[in-house]
Amino acid sequence: MRPCWAVITAAGSGVRLGCEGPKALVDVAGRSMLSRSLDIFKADPQVERICVTAPVEWVDRFGALVGPGVRVVPGGTDRQTSVRAGIEAVSDNAAWPNTQAEGAMLLIHDAARPFTPAEVLRRIIERLEAGANAVLPAVPVTDTIRQVGADGSQNSASQVAGALVDRSGLRAMQTPQGFDADFICQAYRQVGDVSAFTDDGAIAQAVGEQVVLVPGDSMSFKITVPLDLQLAEAVAAL
């Protein structure tokens, strides 16, 4: 089996959630979002290295929370610069004795998705072991999608409905997003400024790589606004 590494991005402030302090430390039924997000990676026997990116001033607090064997490093000002910091830390072989590097796979996950099933992780790893360099979990778009246009009024928030968009060919991306470790390290170096990208699959595509999609899961929802947190509390109580 190929070794697997994981980067958990947890440097977000959670402004839209309305919380004070890092979003990853928000309590979900007695445990932090970050602690729950780490579960599937700590439980998987192939995952040998786990790195968490945290707000600079919270690194020590995060370190006390994640426990032994997980490295915490300062994140950046946006998601992708945080991921870059995590990639650099998790791929520093000198900092990870007694782990393997050759043929490594790298999983990049958002701490704000604390209930991702282990089955999603296994689907990604299986496709990477089969030879893919970039694998993303995705779910179908269920809402009706329309283009919009301005309605000509003075109300900047007012719009008119345009053409329907065929949703059968649309998918919403989730995490963890999986990559051959050597490939994604090189891709991050190659693209230079990563701040304009919204996920890691886009960086893979920017360097010409084909991105493979595998089924995600509705349980891998992202906690962004207060209603999401209420849903997470309900899920944790199941």
Side-chain angles (χ1 to χ4, degrees), residues 50-69:
I50 304 175
C51 181
V52 172
T53 65
V56 175
E57 65 274 21
W58 289 81
V59 169
D60 291 341
R61 172 77 178 275
F62 274 59
L65 172 68
V66 300

Side-chain angles (χ1 to χ4, degrees), residues 7-13 51-56 72-90 108-110 188 194-195 197 200 203:
V7 170
I8 316 297
T9 63
S13 62
C51 181
V52 172
T53 65
V56 175
V72 179
V73 299
T77 56
D78 56 60
R79 182 190 185 278
Q80 298 314 126
T81 54
S82 289
V83 170
R84 170 175 272 165
I87 289 174
E88 291 174 352
V90 82
I108 302 170
H109 188 55
D110 294 331
Y188 262 80
V194 297
S195 60
F197 295 91
D200 311 293
I203 290 177

Side-chain angles (χ1 to χ4, degrees), residues 24 32-33 44 56 85 99 102 109 126 168 195 201 230 232:
S32 72
M33 213 182 292
D44 195 291
V56 175
T99 62
E102 185 174 354
H109 188 55
E126 287 172 5
S168 65
S195 60
Q230 293 180 36

